[in-house]
Amino acid sequence: MRRRTFLKTSLVGLGAAVALALSGTLTAAETIKVGILHSLSGTMAISETTLKDTMLMLIDEQNKKGGLLGKKLEPVVVDPASNWPLFAEKARELLEKEKVAAVFGCWTSVSRKSVLPVFEELNGLLFYPVQYEGEESSKNVFYTGAAPNQQAIPAVDYLMNDLGVERWVLAGTDYVYPRTTNKILEAYLKAKGVADADILINYTPFGHSDWQSIVAEIKKFGSAGKKTAVVSTINGDANVPFYKELGNQGISAEAIPVVAFSVGEEELSGIDTKPLVGHLAAWNYFMSVDDPANDAFIKTWHEFIKNPKRVTNDPMEAHYIGFNLWVKAVEKAGTTDPDKVGAAIIGLEVPNLTGGKAVMLPNHHITKPVLIGEIQGDGQFTVVWQTEAEVEGDAWSDFLEGSKDITADWTPPISCGNFNTVTKTCSGQNY
């Protein structure tokens, strides 16, 4: 009797355990998980924390619309802490353990390069929202930030043609994005007839804080009687002491203008911008753009973040575009399966926040306008120049040997991110 009672109790307990396990499985299946892979600590937190908040807002807004495929979206936030190898570990955690449908994240190219093998191995989808150096196109990555032809090249053209710049300081943080971008810019400048002696290149580590001697060198370089400009690919919190030292040494925008590729409204919100009035930034979006879609986005952001003083910036718009393209592709495919979503997203378009539209191209880049903004005393930008229409992102530079004959196209029959248009061969499966 005792044995039969024990057996009955055990079976009841087992049934309850199975029911609980099934309940957990069903609960997990009732949501679609979305990975958020941004540094919330370390040197890049100054830029990336806002992008985490942006994704939470976008997911919240989509859930208010009823979610996706009849399910709620569930954000899964991790902190890779500005540690490049940790990015890969966290990416694997999101894909293998959390089973996320897509990941939105990374800022620096070194973090993207760190996670790339993980996404390709596990066939995950990464939406990358920041300008980068190009020279890459992966089946598993959608590049919603600017390629060099959508930021760096137009910025140099503006400085050269509109401001008459003849001497060039290429100042960057010491990692792959600044080095490759400056390699492209150096080749471009020389093709335009700029002499070696009129190009000064300088690199500093992440988090660099002592800018006195470097800024003094820039000041000296700019005293040769030719109009000089600084093209800055300095990233992260090193920008704060850099701009402060420019002000300390009296380098005005009239004397030596600085055009930055990684400084937007968020970075300027932490410093006194009055000495920097007139310096420039090249982006594809500015908070000050007057457009109904932008006004609505800013209003939603302020309501979500509960702080009317918080700014918006270019990478936030890139996440806005990337997220909406992903939602649209999932709806078109009727599934979150990465291969089907990847095929469905090509050719889709969504509104941007500057009055135009973003189209996902076969090379996994998008169309973007290019804007040059001038820093104002309130930390905002006034647009002083912009392209007449959106520019198609180019994965491979036209100005580098070994790249100018390469194209990317993830649609049949090419289906390759590294296709040589001369030899008609794919020299790399993904990039």
Side-chain angles (χ1 to χ4, degrees):
M1 178 76 107
R2 283 196 300 268
R3 184 177 178 183
R4 289 164 66 183
T5 303
F6 173 78
L7 180 60
K8 182 178 180 181
T9 304
S10 298
L11 289 172
V12 170
L14 178 61
V18 170
L20 183 61
L22 287 174
S23 173
T25 303
L26 289 173
T27 300
E30 289 170 358
T31 66
I32 296 174
K33 290 186 176 182
V34 179
I36 302 175
L37 183 65
H38 280 303
S39 294
L40 310 181
S41 56
T43 187
M44 292 307 302
I46 184 177
S47 299
E48 294 193 65
T49 301
T50 290
L51 297 190
K52 178 266 295 182
D53 293 333
T54 302
M55 285 306 305
L56 292 178
M57 176 189 74
L58 293 171
I59 291 169
D60 181 66
E61 289 297 304
Q62 187 64 32
N63 282 335
K64 288 177 181 176
K65 299 175 186 176
L68 187 58
L69 302 182
K71 300 178 181 181
K72 292 291 186 180
L73 298 180
E74 178 185 347
V76 182
V77 179
V78 294
D79 178 17
S82 306
N83 180 322
W84 318 134
L86 189 57
F87 266 87
E89 293 180 30
K90 292 297 183 181
R92 186 172 294 276
E93 175 186 325
L94 288 172
L95 294 173
E96 282 190 328
K97 179 183 175 183
E98 298 293 345
K99 308 295 184 184
V100 298
V103 176
F104 294 80
C106 296
W107 181 291
T108 66
S109 285
V110 67
S111 66
R112 189 191 71 256
K113 293 287 189 184
S114 176
V115 305
L116 186 55
V118 178
F119 279 90
E120 293 182 341
E121 174 196 343
L122 301 176
N123 198 29
L125 299 181
L126 171 66
F127 287 79
Y128 178 64
V130 185
Q131 84 288 345
Y132 86 121
E133 70 281 359
E135 307 306 292
E136 177 184 301
S137 179
S138 171
K139 178 184 176 182
N140 298 88
V141 181
F142 297 95
Y143 307 82
T144 56
N149 73 307
Q150 296 173 307
Q151 185 185 38
I153 297 295
V156 165
D157 284 341
Y158 170 78
L159 292 172
M160 186 178 290
N161 299 329
D162 289 51
L163 300 187
V165 172
E166 298 178 281
R167 300 200 95 193
W168 304 84
V169 179
L170 308 182
T173 302
D174 192 5
Y175 74 105
V176 61
Y177 162 62
R179 284 191 173 274
T180 306
T181 299
N182 287 341
K183 185 179 179 182
I184 293 170
L185 290 180
E186 186 179 10
Y188 184 70
L189 289 170
K190 289 180 178 179
K192 290 286 188 178
V194 177
D196 283 343
D198 288 328
I199 302 175
L200 173 66
I201 303 176
N202 178 275
Y203 295 104
T204 48
F206 280 99
H208 189 70
S209 59
D210 185 6
W211 289 94
Q212 188 171 356
S213 60
I214 294 173
V215 171
E217 182 182 18
I218 292 171
K219 191 173 184 178
K220 181 180 179 181
F221 185 77
S223 64
K226 294 181 179 179
K227 182 67 174 180
T228 302
V230 177
V231 179
S232 171
T233 48
I234 299 167
N235 252 281
D237 54 10
N239 276 295
V240 176
F242 170 65
Y243 276 95
K244 184 176 181 180
E245 187 59 35
L246 288 176
N248 291 341
Q249 297 198 29
I251 296 181
S252 67
E254 291 76 18
I256 303 178
V258 176
V259 60
F261 300 160
S262 297
V263 173
E265 294 86 347
E266 184 71 12
E267 288 76 18
L268 291 179
S269 66
I271 61 176
D272 178 13
T273 59
K274 291 183 176 60
L276 307 181
V277 170
H279 286 299
L280 307 164
W283 289 104
N284 311 106
Y285 164 89
F286 288 109
M287 184 178 181
S288 59
V289 171
D290 185 12
D291 185 82
N294 190 32
D295 293 342
F297 179 76
I298 295 169
K299 182 175 184 292
T300 301
W301 170 242
H302 285 162
E303 289 174 352
F304 176 81
I305 209 70
K306 295 180 174 56
N307 183 349
K309 295 183 178 180
R310 285 288 294 275
V311 297
T312 59
N313 63 18
D314 181 283
M316 291 174 67
E317 190 215 23
H319 263 337
Y320 168 86
I321 290 169
F323 179 78
N324 286 328
L325 282 169
W326 174 73
V327 167
K328 203 169 183 179
V330 169
E331 291 174 338
K332 179 182 177 182
T335 176
T336 58
D337 176 84
D339 290 326
K340 293 179 180 178
V341 171
I345 201 170
I346 303 299
L348 293 183
E349 61 182 57
V350 297
N352 61 31
L353 296 177
T354 57
K357 61 184 180 181
V359 181
M360 182 58 70
L361 304 170
N363 64 3
H364 284 195
H365 294 64
I366 64 173
T367 57
K368 301 175 78 72
V370 186
L371 290 72
I372 307 293
E374 184 179 281
I375 298 174
Q376 304 299 299
D378 61 357
Q380 289 292 320
F381 292 85
T382 294
V383 176
V384 295
W385 179 89
Q386 66 184 86
T387 52
E388 293 182 1
E390 286 81 17
V391 178
E392 294 188 355
D394 191 356
W396 298 91
S397 174
D398 295 333
F399 306 103
L400 293 180
E401 291 298 327
S403 294
K404 60 185 179 182
D405 296 328
I406 305 297
T407 190
D409 187 336
W410 287 107
T411 60
I414 293 177
S415 298
C416 173
N418 191 336
F419 184 77
N420 191 304
T421 58
V422 176
T423 63
K424 306 298 182 183
T425 59
C426 182
S427 53
Q429 182 180 358
N430 288 318
Y431 63 96

